[in-house]
Amino acid sequence: MLGRARIGLVVGDRELVGHVWLKWLKDNGLNFVMRLPKHHLLTDAHGHRHAIADLGLAEGEHRRFAQRQVDGVWGQVWVKALAGGEFLFLFGTSGLQQISQRYAKRWTIEQCFQNLKSRGFNLENSHLACHHKLRKLLALVSLAYAFCLAVGHAADRRQPIARKQQGYRATSLSRHGLDIVRQLTRPTTGAQTTANQLAERLLDWIIRQVSHYKIPVKIIG
């Protein structure tokens, strides 16, 4: 549906595994990075098979393998030992030195899904059963999320969000933007701050675009 030329990298979690899927990606020339469950075995060029738990990695230690076979497909492996006997077990074709950094980009997708399902957008609370209405709802919620994320980015550039001891932001960018938009929609709120003024200008721009392109808007009570 997207077209091969538009796909730079396919990133997936432990649910997206198996010989058929991985072989299809490789046969179609699509670079991928997948996290695999720890029970999947590695096979070297001599046909020897071993589990990642047998590598003897200490917590926080990682190893790379340029060519290993997993689920009947040859690729690159990056393994890191985590706390509690868990592992970050990555398998892919996107370049051994960058495989972990590229997989890390998936976290922004995970955050997006978590925010859409709850955390203010509450997509999972819908009881719609109609496929077409669900598509419209998902599109609207996605636009709202993108808008709040853009507002959060702009506000963070002007006044950085406070950081926790671990270095993470105390509030996510999307949540920060959502809080600003909520504040703007309150009847007694004025747009005194730069971030509020920026959000109002962005809202005005969207309204002008709707009017200019005569986008049909249907209000449903």
mmCIF file of all heavy atoms in Angstrom, residues 9 15 30 36 44 53 61 66 68 78 97 114-115 126 161 168 180 182 200:
data_model
loop_
_atom_site.group_PDB
_atom_site.id
_atom_site.type_symbol
_atom_site.label_atom_id
_atom_site.label_comp_id
_atom_site.label_asym_id
_atom_site.label_seq_id
_atom_site.Cartn_x
_atom_site.Cartn_y
_atom_site.Cartn_z
ATOM 1 N N LEU A 9 12.853 1.949 6.607
ATOM 2 C CA LEU A 9 13.195 0.999 7.661
ATOM 3 C C LEU A 9 11.909 0.493 8.305
ATOM 4 O O LEU A 9 10.999 1.262 8.582
ATOM 5 C CB LEU A 9 14.066 1.675 8.725
ATOM 6 C CG LEU A 9 14.510 0.815 9.912
ATOM 7 C CD1 LEU A 9 15.485 -0.259 9.448
ATOM 8 C CD2 LEU A 9 15.146 1.685 10.989
ATOM 9 N N GLU A 15 6.232 -9.130 18.903
ATOM 10 C CA GLU A 15 5.089 -9.800 18.291
ATOM 11 C C GLU A 15 5.308 -10.026 16.792
ATOM 12 O O GLU A 15 4.680 -10.898 16.196
ATOM 13 C CB GLU A 15 3.814 -8.977 18.495
ATOM 14 C CG GLU A 15 3.391 -8.819 19.952
ATOM 15 C CD GLU A 15 4.097 -7.650 20.631
ATOM 16 O OE1 GLU A 15 4.931 -7.002 19.973
ATOM 17 O OE2 GLU A 15 3.811 -7.407 21.820
ATOM 18 N N LEU A 30 13.776 -4.775 1.942
ATOM 19 C CA LEU A 30 13.375 -3.806 2.957
ATOM 20 C C LEU A 30 14.243 -3.978 4.199
ATOM 21 O O LEU A 30 14.254 -5.042 4.814
ATOM 22 C CB LEU A 30 11.903 -4.007 3.324
ATOM 23 C CG LEU A 30 10.901 -3.760 2.190
ATOM 24 C CD1 LEU A 30 9.491 -4.133 2.645
ATOM 25 C CD2 LEU A 30 10.938 -2.315 1.738
ATOM 26 N N LEU A 36 13.477 -9.545 19.132
ATOM 27 C CA LEU A 36 13.039 -10.940 19.187
ATOM 28 C C LEU A 36 12.932 -11.424 20.628
ATOM 29 O O LEU A 36 13.656 -10.951 21.512
ATOM 30 C CB LEU A 36 14.025 -11.835 18.440
ATOM 31 C CG LEU A 36 14.278 -11.507 16.961
ATOM 32 C CD1 LEU A 36 15.224 -12.541 16.361
ATOM 33 C CD2 LEU A 36 12.986 -11.464 16.178
ATOM 34 N N ASP A 44 25.383 -20.022 13.696
ATOM 35 C CA ASP A 44 26.539 -19.422 13.040
ATOM 36 C C ASP A 44 26.812 -20.094 11.698
ATOM 37 O O ASP A 44 26.078 -20.989 11.266
ATOM 38 C CB ASP A 44 27.764 -19.468 13.949
ATOM 39 C CG ASP A 44 28.176 -20.894 14.308
ATOM 40 O OD1 ASP A 44 27.851 -21.825 13.551
ATOM 41 O OD2 ASP A 44 28.834 -21.066 15.353
ATOM 42 N N ALA A 53 21.029 -16.553 26.109
ATOM 43 C CA ALA A 53 21.253 -16.670 27.555
ATOM 44 C C ALA A 53 22.574 -17.355 27.857
ATOM 45 O O ALA A 53 23.109 -17.223 28.969
ATOM 46 C CB ALA A 53 20.102 -17.432 28.200
ATOM 47 N N GLU A 61 25.857 -5.324 29.680
ATOM 48 C CA GLU A 61 26.840 -5.668 28.656
ATOM 49 C C GLU A 61 26.132 -6.054 27.358
ATOM 50 O O GLU A 61 25.032 -6.603 27.378
ATOM 51 C CB GLU A 61 27.703 -6.842 29.140
ATOM 52 C CG GLU A 61 28.853 -7.198 28.214
ATOM 53 C CD GLU A 61 29.667 -8.372 28.734
ATOM 54 O OE1 GLU A 61 29.295 -8.895 29.814
ATOM 55 O OE2 GLU A 61 30.634 -8.775 28.066
ATOM 56 N N ALA A 66 27.978 -10.098 13.270
ATOM 57 C CA ALA A 66 27.789 -9.601 11.906
ATOM 58 C C ALA A 66 26.873 -10.486 11.086
ATOM 59 O O ALA A 66 26.041 -9.998 10.324
ATOM 60 C CB ALA A 66 29.142 -9.447 11.204
ATOM 61 N N ARG A 68 24.468 -13.939 11.549
ATOM 62 C CA ARG A 68 23.866 -15.065 12.248
ATOM 63 C C ARG A 68 22.522 -15.366 11.614
ATOM 64 O O ARG A 68 21.846 -14.485 11.090
ATOM 65 C CB ARG A 68 23.695 -14.775 13.749
ATOM 66 C CG ARG A 68 24.998 -14.714 14.539
ATOM 67 C CD ARG A 68 25.672 -16.072 14.609
ATOM 68 N NE ARG A 68 26.830 -16.063 15.490
ATOM 69 C CZ ARG A 68 28.057 -15.711 15.134
ATOM 70 N NH1 ARG A 68 28.272 -15.306 13.880
ATOM 71 N NH2 ARG A 68 29.050 -15.748 15.999
ATOM 72 N N TRP A 78 22.274 -7.931 17.603
ATOM 73 C CA TRP A 78 22.776 -7.082 18.690
ATOM 74 C C TRP A 78 22.019 -7.492 19.948
ATOM 75 O O TRP A 78 20.787 -7.479 19.972
ATOM 76 C CB TRP A 78 22.525 -5.616 18.364
ATOM 77 C CG TRP A 78 23.152 -4.614 19.294
ATOM 78 C CD1 TRP A 78 24.352 -3.998 19.165
ATOM 79 C CD2 TRP A 78 22.574 -4.061 20.502
ATOM 80 N NE1 TRP A 78 24.573 -3.115 20.189
ATOM 81 C CE2 TRP A 78 23.505 -3.136 21.024
ATOM 82 C CE3 TRP A 78 21.379 -4.283 21.177
ATOM 83 C CZ2 TRP A 78 23.260 -2.418 22.188
ATOM 84 C CZ3 TRP A 78 21.132 -3.573 22.351
ATOM 85 C CH2 TRP A 78 22.078 -2.651 22.842
ATOM 86 N N GLN A 97 26.454 -1.413 13.170
ATOM 87 C CA GLN A 97 26.875 -0.370 14.090
ATOM 88 C C GLN A 97 25.721 0.529 14.530
ATOM 89 O O GLN A 97 25.766 1.117 15.600
ATOM 90 C CB GLN A 97 27.966 0.490 13.422
ATOM 91 C CG GLN A 97 29.224 -0.278 13.048
ATOM 92 C CD GLN A 97 29.869 -0.964 14.242
ATOM 93 O OE1 GLN A 97 29.935 -0.402 15.334
ATOM 94 N NE2 GLN A 97 30.339 -2.192 14.039
ATOM 95 N N GLN A 114 0.617 4.896 22.973
ATOM 96 C CA GLN A 114 0.184 5.007 24.365
ATOM 97 C C GLN A 114 -0.643 6.272 24.581
ATOM 98 O O GLN A 114 -1.656 6.253 25.289
ATOM 99 C CB GLN A 114 1.399 5.004 25.283
ATOM 100 C CG GLN A 114 2.117 3.661 25.363
ATOM 101 C CD GLN A 114 3.380 3.726 26.202
ATOM 102 O OE1 GLN A 114 3.786 4.799 26.647
ATOM 103 N NE2 GLN A 114 4.015 2.590 26.403
ATOM 104 N N ASN A 115 -0.208 7.369 23.969
ATOM 105 C CA ASN A 115 -0.931 8.627 24.127
ATOM 106 C C ASN A 115 -2.297 8.588 23.438
ATOM 107 O O ASN A 115 -3.271 9.123 23.954
ATOM 108 C CB ASN A 115 -0.104 9.788 23.568
ATOM 109 C CG ASN A 115 1.072 10.133 24.449
ATOM 110 O OD1 ASN A 115 0.980 10.069 25.666
ATOM 111 N ND2 ASN A 115 2.190 10.494 23.852
ATOM 112 N N SER A 126 -13.665 4.702 23.078
ATOM 113 C CA SER A 126 -14.715 4.736 22.065
ATOM 114 C C SER A 126 -15.424 3.381 21.986
ATOM 115 O O SER A 126 -14.803 2.329 22.082
ATOM 116 C CB SER A 126 -14.111 5.077 20.699
ATOM 117 O OG SER A 126 -15.059 4.877 19.681
ATOM 118 N N ILE A 161 11.205 22.138 29.256
ATOM 119 C CA ILE A 161 10.494 21.404 30.307
ATOM 120 C C ILE A 161 11.501 20.899 31.338
ATOM 121 O O ILE A 161 12.603 20.477 30.985
ATOM 122 C CB ILE A 161 9.724 20.217 29.692
ATOM 123 C CG1 ILE A 161 8.704 20.722 28.665
ATOM 124 C CG2 ILE A 161 9.020 19.398 30.767
ATOM 125 C CD1 ILE A 161 8.047 19.620 27.864
ATOM 126 N N TYR A 168 15.116 12.402 32.093
ATOM 127 C CA TYR A 168 13.907 12.434 31.270
ATOM 128 C C TYR A 168 13.086 13.684 31.577
ATOM 129 O O TYR A 168 13.144 14.237 32.678
ATOM 130 C CB TYR A 168 13.053 11.187 31.510
ATOM 131 C CG TYR A 168 13.742 9.887 31.193
ATOM 132 C CD1 TYR A 168 14.124 9.015 32.212
ATOM 133 C CD2 TYR A 168 14.029 9.538 29.879
ATOM 134 C CE1 TYR A 168 14.761 7.813 31.921
ATOM 135 C CE2 TYR A 168 14.655 8.343 29.577
ATOM 136 C CZ TYR A 168 15.024 7.479 30.598
ATOM 137 O OH TYR A 168 15.654 6.302 30.300
ATOM 138 N N ILE A 180 -1.331 23.023 27.367
ATOM 139 C CA ILE A 180 -1.412 24.400 26.872
ATOM 140 C C ILE A 180 -2.713 24.622 26.123
ATOM 141 O O ILE A 180 -3.402 25.634 26.311
ATOM 142 C CB ILE A 180 -0.198 24.714 25.979
ATOM 143 C CG1 ILE A 180 1.088 24.733 26.810
ATOM 144 C CG2 ILE A 180 -0.383 26.054 25.260
ATOM 145 C CD1 ILE A 180 2.351 24.882 25.992
ATOM 146 N N ARG A 182 -5.496 22.927 26.444
ATOM 147 C CA ARG A 182 -6.589 22.905 27.431
ATOM 148 C C ARG A 182 -6.715 24.254 28.124
ATOM 149 O O ARG A 182 -7.815 24.768 28.345
ATOM 150 C CB ARG A 182 -6.324 21.812 28.464
ATOM 151 C CG ARG A 182 -6.694 20.410 27.998
ATOM 152 C CD ARG A 182 -6.270 19.394 29.038
ATOM 153 N NE ARG A 182 -6.841 18.086 28.791
ATOM 154 C CZ ARG A 182 -6.450 16.980 29.392
ATOM 155 N NH1 ARG A 182 -5.476 17.020 30.286
ATOM 156 N NH2 ARG A 182 -7.018 15.816 29.122
ATOM 157 N N GLU A 200 -2.358 29.856 19.615
ATOM 158 C CA GLU A 200 -3.520 30.536 19.052
ATOM 159 C C GLU A 200 -3.299 30.863 17.579
ATOM 160 O O GLU A 200 -4.215 30.741 16.760
ATOM 161 C CB GLU A 200 -3.817 31.806 19.851
ATOM 162 C CG GLU A 200 -4.517 31.550 21.174
ATOM 163 C CD GLU A 200 -5.257 32.780 21.660
ATOM 164 O OE1 GLU A 200 -4.864 33.905 21.269
ATOM 165 O OE2 GLU A 200 -6.227 32.622 22.418
#
